Amino acid sequence: MLRRSEDEIKIVLTRPLSLNGEQEVDYKAPNLIHRILSLFKNVRPGSDLTHFKLPPQFNFPKSHLQCFGEEVYCSGSDMLRRCNQADNSLDRFMSVVAWSISTVRPPIFGVAPYNPILGETHHVSRATLNVFLEQISHHPPVSALHATDEEHNIELVWCHQCVPSFNGAWVETEVRGKRQLKLLSRGETYEMNSPNLLIKFLPLPGVDWAGNVTISCKENGLEAELRYGPKSFFGLRGSHRSVKGKVYETATKRTLFQLNGHWDRKVTATDNNSGKSRVIYNAEEVFSGLKTPVVNDLKGVRSTESAAVWSEVSEAIMSQNWEKAKEAKNAVEEKQREVLRERELKGTTWVPQHFSVSYTKDGGWECSPIQQWVPPAPIVLPLS
């Protein structure tokens, strides 16, 4: 924990999630059964959970913005940089598929990150990769991400809207929005989506990623279809954390590779012509040696930084002081409501500071970064 004396800004940073979906932080949430029962008392089947507020007992000490950012900058091996290294377009596409799988992070059953406040930001660098996120809408919650590696000619632009719904025995969070990976020196743009998060309460409690992911690149005429599959409702069929799919030519629909494996272990690609298989993704490489981000320039940290906004809440959660955590979380939310009231009295509308944003009923949320390159961050992820 760091504090800047002149304006008392406090920064609390925590370790990335491990491969087992755990965080190496000394805190313990209340009894899981009691938490689940309390959820059933407050929601009904078919409820829209967008406005539902979790007590701090259900939170782990990170904001959603930090979790989204970690998908990009937290990796034991630099899979993103590999996407632009191969001279062959098919090899580059396969590297993008592998990198896309690496962005799936182990969720923790029974707890969730904080819902970011409007205008909240998160800015972290890993080597030459600079990552910046901004919460561009609070109701509904929408997050924008821009990441650039100028040295290796890579750019990422994401726009995420999480839409949870309660279905009696489970909660499914649909992650809407487009992800773009641009290999600038190749003139290639890869578009992809995210799987959905499935939280089951009955008959066997658990959490997993599920649904279909499509990856496409118009410039090289290739596409991939991935299916993230949890076990069946009763846990008797299916494979936990499985990934299956194929890579094919867009124009002819001819399958080039079959994909099979698990996103928390290994994924192999089998050549449709030769029948030979090779490992394209190894989770151990991605999650090994991950360290806690550190502050390199405390004066450069924005007051809107996630690690500052939620610092008091995170500190209380890690010390298991639930009453203090509740007060601190209420203070953050009440401050946001106060700012909203002042804005309404003045008749002003909040505008994102770092992204141009648009919304259409058919296309959903779109965002484009105002800056061409993300500058180096005051918070950095130490290399392994």
Side-chain angles (χ1 to χ4, degrees), residues 115-154:
N115 187 22
I117 64 171
L118 186 64
E120 182 179 326
T121 61
H122 184 49
H123 190 194
V124 177
S125 292
R126 179 188 187 273
T128 55
L129 176 68
N130 304 314
V131 183
F132 189 90
L133 299 97
E134 182 179 21
Q135 190 70 8
I136 58 176
S137 173
H138 187 64
H139 293 304
V142 183
S143 308
L145 178 147
H146 185 213
T148 57
D149 188 330
E150 192 170 358
E151 182 177 328
H152 296 91
N153 293 294
I154 295 173

Side-chain angles (χ1 to χ4, degrees), residues 83 86-96 186 188 190:
C83 296
D87 292 327
N88 182 285
S89 61
L90 179 56
D91 289 341
R92 289 196 298 275
F93 190 89
M94 297 301 290
S95 294
V96 171
R186 309 285 183 178
E188 295 174 346
Y190 298 79

Side-chain angles (χ1 to χ4, degrees), residues 194-351:
S194 169
N196 298 334
L197 189 64
L198 185 64
I199 305 170
K200 293 196 302 181
F201 303 118
L202 299 170
L204 298 174
V207 58
D208 204 351
W209 294 98
N212 298 321
V213 170
T214 301
I215 305 170
S216 64
C217 179
K218 293 180 180 179
E219 290 78 13
N220 60 29
L222 296 172
E223 291 189 38
E225 293 178 358
L226 303 178
R227 169 68 181 175
Y228 288 81
K231 287 189 175 182
S232 64
F233 183 77
F234 291 101
L236 301 177
R237 292 180 290 106
S239 181
H240 185 50
R241 296 180 171 181
S242 67
V243 181
K244 294 184 179 181
K246 62 181 179 179
V247 174
Y248 60 94
E249 295 175 342
T250 304
T252 65
K253 305 299 180 184
R254 182 171 68 94
T255 299
L256 305 176
F257 288 93
Q258 297 285 349
L259 308 174
N260 190 35
H262 300 82
W263 59 261
D264 64 339
R265 281 161 274 177
K266 294 180 180 179
V267 176
T268 60
T270 302
D271 191 311
N272 247 33
N273 290 328
S274 66
K276 293 182 178 179
S277 298
R278 62 185 175 95
V279 175
I280 64 167
Y281 170 76
N282 187 341
E284 286 291 344
E285 293 180 2
V286 174
F287 290 93
S288 64
L290 295 181
K291 298 180 180 179
T292 304
V294 297
V295 178
N296 259 9
D297 176 19
L298 187 58
K299 291 184 178 180
V301 178
R302 292 176 171 82
S303 60
T304 54
E305 163 63 43
S306 297
V309 171
W310 300 100
S311 59
E312 295 286 352
V313 187
S314 295
E315 195 174 50
I317 287 177
M318 289 188 287
S319 64
Q320 303 178 43
N321 188 335
W322 301 113
E323 189 59 36
K324 181 180 178 182
K326 181 180 179 181
E327 293 175 0
K329 189 174 183 182
N330 287 340
V332 172
E333 294 168 346
E334 179 54 37
K335 184 177 180 180
Q336 180 172 237
R337 287 190 287 268
E338 182 181 338
V339 171
L340 177 61
R341 287 192 293 268
E342 292 177 359
R343 195 179 297 123
E344 290 176 343
L345 286 173
K346 295 178 180 178
T348 58
T349 302
W350 183 85
V351 177

